[in-house]
Amino acid sequence: MSDAVTARWHGDNYQARVFWENALNLLVPQSCVVEVTFEANGPKAFDDVVVKYDPAIARSGPVKVPADYHQVKWHVEYGGRFGYEDFVDPEFIGASKYSLLERLRDAKAVAPAGSNFTFLTTYRVRDGDPLGPLIAGTDKSLLLPRLFDGTTTRSKMGKVRKRWREHLKLADDDALRAVLEGFRIFEGHRSLDELRSEITVRAQAVGLLASHAGDSDFRFDELARQLKVRQLNGLSRSLLEDLCRGEGLMNPAGAPVDDRLPVALRSFAGPAGDIVGAAPEDTLFLTDLFNQRYLVAGREWQDDIRPRVERFLRTVAAKTASLRLVLDAHASIAFLAGSVLDLKSGIDIELIQKGRVGTRVWRADDGASGPAIEVERTGEAGAAIGLFLNITHDVSRQAIKYMKRAGLAVDTTLNCTPAGGASPSALIGGLHAAEIADQLTRMVREARDDDDDIVHLFAACPNSLLFYLGQQHRGLAPLIIYEYDFDRAGNKTYHPSFVIH
């Protein structure tokens, strides 16, 4: 019995922390988050945390999002798995009558047009289940073109469509598509401790007192429940400020003095909890050029994207010599940003790096030094170099396969891997990323037979590393950077993006 009570407490705390992860954005200057509600009065099931935006935010699709409705499911163990069949089973969400898909259908009928509906769980999609390939790597929405791929009901996707359509008693696939638009699935979400660390950092950033890591309790957990009891669970910026003053949460010294200009580049958008306070005029939205990770037909990296990025960054750099840069963008755009704001630009830059444990600030002088990477060099110096960055995972096999298929003649390969192996946590901070960028630039120079030898860059690494590498473009150019089809909805391989001279 005591284990069941503890599990219920942890589940409540988890939901409270998802709430605060979003609510603290209300205190970020110029944030587009205008209201965050804990345990709202509807729509049923997607009412655990509701976030509203003004102006509406851009994600991956053409329609801007005015609100985000969350259903939060925490589990004691992280080994649990689920699949597409569970979405038609009421027991999966602890209900007796209505399934997750039925709740989604009903919620869409009463929510503002364009709203997103997020199922957030610590469970993961079952290996081999058709649901896995349907979740976009950008904003976690369903890849509807892949689900509605025109195959028959005997195919994997056809069976998913049929099962869901018949369960909802819908007339056709068009009706099913309408229900699923805006549905997002965050599986394997962060742990209780990771969310606590994230909230602590965010609270400090907006001038609030945060709990000490050694404290046995976490004040924000109970405060969320008290908001519901006091019927103050729907917070605006002014209400949250009044609450924090009344609860003694305001740092007497106020928020840290910060004259950095927040600037954001967005070719795709992350979850609602990651919205930051860059003003509209200091945000470059490129989402109109992409469908998920893929360029809209008729658009070109070099001719359409590059001029917009370069023009925007030069404009914001003229405003100040101190920037905070958010790169919710493709790897190629992160490298290009570094090449514009290079080491000779005179701009003091800190980067917002997102990863497994949430959002962190990385600076090239943050003291987070780490080990060098191991480089396996093959071939002789020649007219072309293949540079493989296996930081978060190994790219070499797919890169070599692509180069053979594309007929790229590469004389030298530099296969670069962290000493402990590829991992999302291989880089520990900004200084570590900058050190590796320096190491890679030296390696390329040593591998070159001539200054005109071209570098073909294939990378799986944090955007911060690509930014720091781009800052040294003069020592790497000429260079071609390649993007991979992570969602496997396009050509399922690499394709070239920018040519850097």
Side-chain angles (χ1 to χ4, degrees), residues 174-493:
D174 288 340
L176 178 61
R177 181 190 286 267
V179 170
L180 297 176
E181 285 177 347
F183 182 42
R184 304 197 301 163
I185 302 168
F186 282 84
E187 44 103 24
H189 200 59
R190 296 196 289 271
S191 69
L192 271 164
D193 285 346
E194 288 169 342
L195 282 176
R196 174 172 175 159
S197 297
E198 173 84 2
I199 292 164
T200 298
V201 171
R202 290 186 183 220
Q204 292 170 336
V206 296
L208 300 183
L209 295 173
S211 298
H212 190 274
D215 294 342
S216 58
D217 64 339
F218 188 53
R219 188 175 181 192
F220 285 100
D221 291 341
E222 180 58 30
L223 186 56
R225 287 186 284 274
Q226 289 303 314
L227 290 175
K228 180 67 175 177
V229 171
R230 296 168 57 189
Q231 298 184 339
L232 292 173
N233 50 319
L235 292 180
S236 63
R237 179 187 178 101
S238 59
L239 284 175
L240 179 55
E241 288 176 336
D242 291 343
L243 172 73
C244 291
R245 290 190 190 96
E247 294 291 333
L249 287 173
M250 285 291 189
N251 189 332
V257 176
D258 188 356
D259 59 356
R260 291 185 182 276
L261 177 66
V263 172
L265 291 174
R266 298 187 184 279
S267 55
F268 50 78
D274 292 335
I275 300 300
V276 296
E281 63 269 21
D282 298 321
T283 302
L284 177 62
F285 285 103
L286 297 166
T287 50
D288 61 308
L289 299 178
F290 292 92
N291 180 13
Q292 300 292 343
R293 282 186 175 268
Y294 312 104
L295 272 177
V296 172
R299 297 292 190 173
E300 299 290 339
W301 285 91
Q302 197 79 356
D303 296 334
D304 297 303
I305 298 175
R306 184 170 182 174
R308 286 177 62 174
V309 173
E310 291 178 336
R311 184 166 55 248
F312 169 76
L313 288 176
R314 288 178 181 132
T315 299
V316 295
K319 297 180 180 181
T320 179
S322 184
L323 296 177
R324 176 177 297 112
L325 186 59
V326 181
L327 294 168
D328 281 336
H330 294 67
S332 300
I333 294 173
F335 185 96
L336 179 63
S339 72
V340 177
L341 304 172
D342 64 14
L343 297 176
K344 294 186 177 182
S345 68
I347 306 294
D348 181 21
I349 300 167
E350 67 179 27
L351 303 170
I352 303 301
Q353 179 61 53
K354 298 172 183 177
R356 175 177 289 171
V357 296
T359 303
R360 297 290 184 267
V361 175
W362 283 17
R363 292 177 50 87
D365 61 354
D366 61 14
S369 181
I373 56 173
E374 297 177 349
V375 179
E376 178 186 1
R377 177 174 171 175
T378 60
E380 301 294 332
I385 297 170
L387 180 58
F388 308 149
L389 303 190
N390 313 304
I391 307 302
T392 55
H393 61 266
D394 194 307
V395 302
S396 59
R397 184 175 63 87
Q398 289 290 344
I400 291 171
K401 184 185 297 185
Y402 167 79
M403 291 191 302
K404 288 181 179 178
R405 187 182 298 121
L408 293 179
V410 173
D411 302 287
T412 306
T413 60
L414 300 175
N415 203 20
C416 310
T417 308
S423 165
S425 56
L427 299 187
I428 63 175
L431 177 56
H432 193 194
E435 290 170 337
I436 290 179
D438 292 342
Q439 179 188 358
L440 292 169
T441 304
R442 290 194 303 270
M443 291 286 184
V444 168
R445 286 172 174 163
E446 292 169 1
R448 272 196 164 119
D449 186 48
D450 186 274
D451 287 344
D452 291 331
D453 294 347
I454 193 164
V455 176
H456 299 275
L457 175 60
F458 301 84
C461 64
N463 270 355
S464 294
L465 173 56
L466 286 166
F467 178 85
Y468 291 135
L469 202 58
Q471 286 191 306
Q472 303 202 49
H473 65 102
R474 289 182 174 84
L476 298 168
L479 174 144
I480 301 175
I481 187 167
Y482 295 81
E483 286 285 339
Y484 187 67
D485 177 15
F486 284 103
D487 291 329
R488 299 182 64 78
N491 55 17
K492 300 181 176 63
T493 184

Side-chain angles (χ1 to χ4, degrees), residues 2-16:
S2 61
D3 288 343
V5 171
T6 301
R8 186 174 69 250
W9 287 345
H10 284 326
D12 292 342
N13 291 343
Y14 196 86
Q15 181 178 327

